[in-house]
Amino acid sequence: MAGRFEVPGCDKCRNPAIHHQIYSGRMMCGNHLSESVEKKVSKALRKQLVIPKGNNFTILVAISGGKDSAVLLERIVGTLGMRPDVTIIGGCVDEGIEGYRPPSLECARTLCEDLGVRFETVSYPELGFKEMDEVVVRMSELSEAKAPCSFCGVFRRQGINHLARRVEADVIALGHNLDDMAQTIMMNLQNGDLERTLRLAPHTYTPIEGIQPRIVPLRWIPEQEIHLYALHKKLPIHHEECPHGSGALRFRHRETIAWMESDVPGTRHGLLRMTDDIKALNAKSTENRPPPPSSCPECGEICSGEICKGCEMKKLLFD
Ligand code: SF4
Ligand SMILES: [Zn+2]
Ligand SMILES: [Zn+2]
């Protein structure tokens, strides 16, 4: 008899599975995948978020219109939205990227409206930077080749800091997933950058002087599961990627990590666990502490050099 294609069933309820979680061996239907995502985010929030009693506490959720930050905001509202002492605000940085940012900004705005959350946005020109489309044209005239993201990443970080100051946030939540974390760890390893590894979020028990602490509640959840969750919950998300991102080191590491994970399932978890151990070891030792950051004499942002990275990049591009 011709073989009939059978959709495998969920381990828990026998409904058709939509996901095979290779690193655990589980088959999951949409509802049970969602349940698993929700449990992981709640657990991460319990670990990473310390809300002092008796005070109002403000969380700025950095959103981009993409799936990760949409899931992050939906989950933070789902977990903490009922608490009267917690204010949740969605903040989006507008880099000035034609064709990509306007529609994704609208997704971010719609998500905030749907969830009943205040929405804030800041553009690069408001921060004193040029729009990214202009930066990219200028970059092509520079003698030294650099990827647009090396500039944009610095400007964007300052944009998020700006929003956090504007709304007086106690903590900033970022939507990095397990794949993002593993890619960052590989990039830091490749660059021999221990300093940056030690500064990785969450900052709950390893605060960095001069900036609001970051939390990363999606850090143990693979990108694919976040994507499936966002689709299952029908969140308004923008699917396109930034047109300037393709040459970035991070995107090449995406392939490396995907290959390592398919060869040895659990690789991403292992990289992250090891990094946590290094951070914990370092937190115990009093040596090796980086000197406290100072503030940039030109713009007031925190910096470790003479001027901050944003001002350094501005000079490199437009002086
Ligand atoms: S991909 Fe790069 S250039 Fe595009 S928004 Fe992200 S950091 Fe900026
Ligand atoms: Zn199920
Ligand atoms: Zn500066």
mmCIF file of all heavy atoms in Angstrom, residues 95 97 100-101 124 132 148-149 152-153 156 242-245 251, ligand 1:
data_model
loop_
_atom_site.group_PDB
_atom_site.id
_atom_site.type_symbol
_atom_site.label_atom_id
_atom_site.label_comp_id
_atom_site.label_asym_id
_atom_site.label_seq_id
_atom_site.Cartn_x
_atom_site.Cartn_y
_atom_site.Cartn_z
ATOM 1 N N GLU A 95 15.868 54.096 13.001
ATOM 2 C CA GLU A 95 17.219 54.308 12.453
ATOM 3 C C GLU A 95 17.209 55.096 11.158
ATOM 4 O O GLU A 95 18.267 55.508 10.680
ATOM 5 C CB GLU A 95 17.921 52.962 12.188
ATOM 6 C CG GLU A 95 18.001 52.015 13.357
ATOM 7 C CD GLU A 95 16.801 51.075 13.420
ATOM 8 O OE1 GLU A 95 15.816 51.319 12.692
ATOM 9 O OE2 GLU A 95 16.846 50.110 14.188
ATOM 10 N N ILE A 97 15.663 53.886 7.982
ATOM 11 C CA ILE A 97 15.963 52.913 6.924
ATOM 12 C C ILE A 97 14.706 52.732 6.087
ATOM 13 O O ILE A 97 13.734 52.101 6.510
ATOM 14 C CB ILE A 97 16.449 51.566 7.517
ATOM 15 C CG1 ILE A 97 17.696 51.794 8.381
ATOM 16 C CG2 ILE A 97 16.730 50.556 6.403
ATOM 17 C CD1 ILE A 97 18.126 50.594 9.211
ATOM 18 N N TYR A 100 12.156 49.548 5.386
ATOM 19 C CA TYR A 100 12.235 48.578 6.483
ATOM 20 C C TYR A 100 11.660 49.164 7.775
ATOM 21 O O TYR A 100 10.794 48.567 8.412
ATOM 22 C CB TYR A 100 13.687 48.142 6.690
ATOM 23 C CG TYR A 100 13.975 47.491 8.022
ATOM 24 C CD1 TYR A 100 13.487 46.220 8.308
ATOM 25 C CD2 TYR A 100 14.724 48.154 8.999
ATOM 26 C CE1 TYR A 100 13.738 45.633 9.535
ATOM 27 C CE2 TYR A 100 14.983 47.563 10.224
ATOM 28 C CZ TYR A 100 14.488 46.314 10.490
ATOM 29 O OH TYR A 100 14.740 45.732 11.706
ATOM 30 N N ARG A 101 12.150 50.345 8.145
ATOM 31 C CA ARG A 101 11.718 50.867 9.447
ATOM 32 C C ARG A 101 10.264 51.358 9.485
ATOM 33 O O ARG A 101 9.539 51.027 10.427
ATOM 34 C CB ARG A 101 12.712 51.956 9.923
ATOM 35 C CG ARG A 101 12.440 52.499 11.305
ATOM 36 C CD ARG A 101 12.060 51.419 12.333
ATOM 37 N NE ARG A 101 13.170 50.643 12.829
ATOM 38 C CZ ARG A 101 13.016 49.452 13.414
ATOM 39 N NH1 ARG A 101 11.815 48.905 13.549
ATOM 40 N NH2 ARG A 101 14.060 48.799 13.859
ATOM 41 N N TYR A 124 17.163 58.684 14.848
ATOM 42 C CA TYR A 124 18.581 59.046 14.846
ATOM 43 C C TYR A 124 18.790 60.561 14.768
ATOM 44 O O TYR A 124 19.589 61.100 15.533
ATOM 45 C CB TYR A 124 19.314 58.320 13.706
ATOM 46 C CG TYR A 124 19.716 56.894 14.061
ATOM 47 C CD1 TYR A 124 19.302 56.321 15.255
ATOM 48 C CD2 TYR A 124 20.510 56.143 13.217
ATOM 49 C CE1 TYR A 124 19.666 55.026 15.585
ATOM 50 C CE2 TYR A 124 20.890 54.843 13.539
ATOM 51 C CZ TYR A 124 20.462 54.291 14.724
ATOM 52 O OH TYR A 124 20.833 53.017 15.051
ATOM 53 N N MET A 132 20.317 56.200 8.966
ATOM 54 C CA MET A 132 21.192 55.105 8.510
ATOM 55 C C MET A 132 21.358 55.075 6.996
ATOM 56 O O MET A 132 22.438 54.786 6.495
ATOM 57 C CB MET A 132 20.647 53.753 8.996
ATOM 58 C CG MET A 132 21.371 53.118 10.161
ATOM 59 S SD MET A 132 23.097 53.483 10.351
ATOM 60 C CE MET A 132 23.867 52.107 9.544
ATOM 61 N N PRO A 148 27.694 48.386 7.992
ATOM 62 C CA PRO A 148 26.785 49.386 8.551
ATOM 63 C C PRO A 148 26.414 49.106 10.004
ATOM 64 O O PRO A 148 26.276 50.024 10.812
ATOM 65 C CB PRO A 148 25.547 49.298 7.649
ATOM 66 C CG PRO A 148 26.049 48.741 6.367
ATOM 67 C CD PRO A 148 27.218 47.864 6.708
ATOM 68 N N CYS A 149 26.271 47.818 10.351
ATOM 69 C CA CYS A 149 25.846 47.477 11.711
ATOM 70 C C CYS A 149 26.846 47.928 12.769
ATOM 71 O O CYS A 149 26.460 48.149 13.915
ATOM 72 C CB CYS A 149 25.632 45.981 11.849
ATOM 73 S SG CYS A 149 24.404 45.359 10.725
ATOM 74 N N CYS A 152 25.554 51.363 13.310
ATOM 75 C CA CYS A 152 24.159 51.357 13.726
ATOM 76 C C CYS A 152 24.000 50.767 15.127
ATOM 77 O O CYS A 152 23.227 51.275 15.933
ATOM 78 C CB CYS A 152 23.358 50.573 12.705
ATOM 79 S SG CYS A 152 21.599 50.733 12.889
ATOM 80 N N GLY A 153 24.774 49.723 15.420
ATOM 81 C CA GLY A 153 24.675 49.088 16.730
ATOM 82 C C GLY A 153 24.981 50.076 17.849
ATOM 83 O O GLY A 153 24.292 50.102 18.876
ATOM 84 N N ARG A 156 22.187 52.739 17.977
ATOM 85 C CA ARG A 156 20.942 52.157 18.495
ATOM 86 C C ARG A 156 20.984 51.978 20.019
ATOM 87 O O ARG A 156 20.015 52.234 20.728
ATOM 88 C CB ARG A 156 20.680 50.812 17.837
ATOM 89 C CG ARG A 156 19.364 50.242 18.269
ATOM 90 C CD ARG A 156 18.513 49.870 17.164
ATOM 91 N NE ARG A 156 19.124 48.743 16.461
ATOM 92 C CZ ARG A 156 18.513 47.600 16.318
ATOM 93 N NH1 ARG A 156 17.343 47.430 16.869
ATOM 94 N NH2 ARG A 156 19.068 46.639 15.638
ATOM 95 N N CYS A 242 16.462 43.910 7.833
ATOM 96 C CA CYS A 242 17.064 45.181 7.440
ATOM 97 C C CYS A 242 17.939 44.988 6.193
ATOM 98 O O CYS A 242 18.744 44.058 6.138
ATOM 99 C CB CYS A 242 17.902 45.697 8.602
ATOM 100 S SG CYS A 242 18.955 47.061 8.147
ATOM 101 N N PRO A 243 17.795 45.861 5.184
ATOM 102 C CA PRO A 243 18.568 45.691 3.945
ATOM 103 C C PRO A 243 20.070 45.915 4.133
ATOM 104 O O PRO A 243 20.861 45.497 3.280
ATOM 105 C CB PRO A 243 17.978 46.768 3.014
ATOM 106 C CG PRO A 243 17.380 47.793 3.930
ATOM 107 C CD PRO A 243 16.898 47.030 5.123
ATOM 108 N N HIS A 244 20.470 46.552 5.246
ATOM 109 C CA HIS A 244 21.904 46.837 5.435
ATOM 110 C C HIS A 244 22.610 45.768 6.264
ATOM 111 O O HIS A 244 23.794 45.878 6.541
ATOM 112 C CB HIS A 244 22.091 48.193 6.147
ATOM 113 C CG HIS A 244 21.424 49.328 5.446
ATOM 114 N ND1 HIS A 244 21.527 49.531 4.094
ATOM 115 C CD2 HIS A 244 20.632 50.332 5.920
ATOM 116 C CE1 HIS A 244 20.827 50.609 3.764
ATOM 117 N NE2 HIS A 244 20.272 51.103 4.851
ATOM 118 N N GLY A 245 21.859 44.755 6.700
ATOM 119 C CA GLY A 245 22.428 43.837 7.691
ATOM 120 C C GLY A 245 23.205 42.649 7.129
ATOM 121 O O GLY A 245 23.968 42.014 7.856
ATOM 122 N N PHE A 251 25.572 37.863 11.055
ATOM 123 C CA PHE A 251 24.800 37.040 10.123
ATOM 124 C C PHE A 251 25.613 35.846 9.642
ATOM 125 O O PHE A 251 25.073 34.797 9.346
ATOM 126 C CB PHE A 251 24.296 37.894 8.948
ATOM 127 C CG PHE A 251 23.145 38.762 9.346
ATOM 128 C CD1 PHE A 251 23.359 39.913 10.090
ATOM 129 C CD2 PHE A 251 21.841 38.405 9.036
ATOM 130 C CE1 PHE A 251 22.299 40.705 10.500
ATOM 131 C CE2 PHE A 251 20.773 39.192 9.450
ATOM 132 C CZ PHE A 251 21.005 40.346 10.181
HETATM 133 S S1 SF4 B 1 20.802 45.151 10.705
HETATM 134 FE FE1 SF4 B 1 22.487 46.527 11.150
HETATM 135 S S2 SF4 B 1 22.052 48.391 9.978
HETATM 136 FE FE2 SF4 B 1 20.147 47.213 10.071
HETATM 137 S S3 SF4 B 1 19.034 48.031 11.835
HETATM 138 FE FE3 SF4 B 1 20.240 46.254 12.575
HETATM 139 S S4 SF4 B 1 22.176 47.134 13.295
HETATM 140 FE FE4 SF4 B 1 21.150 48.692 12.012
#
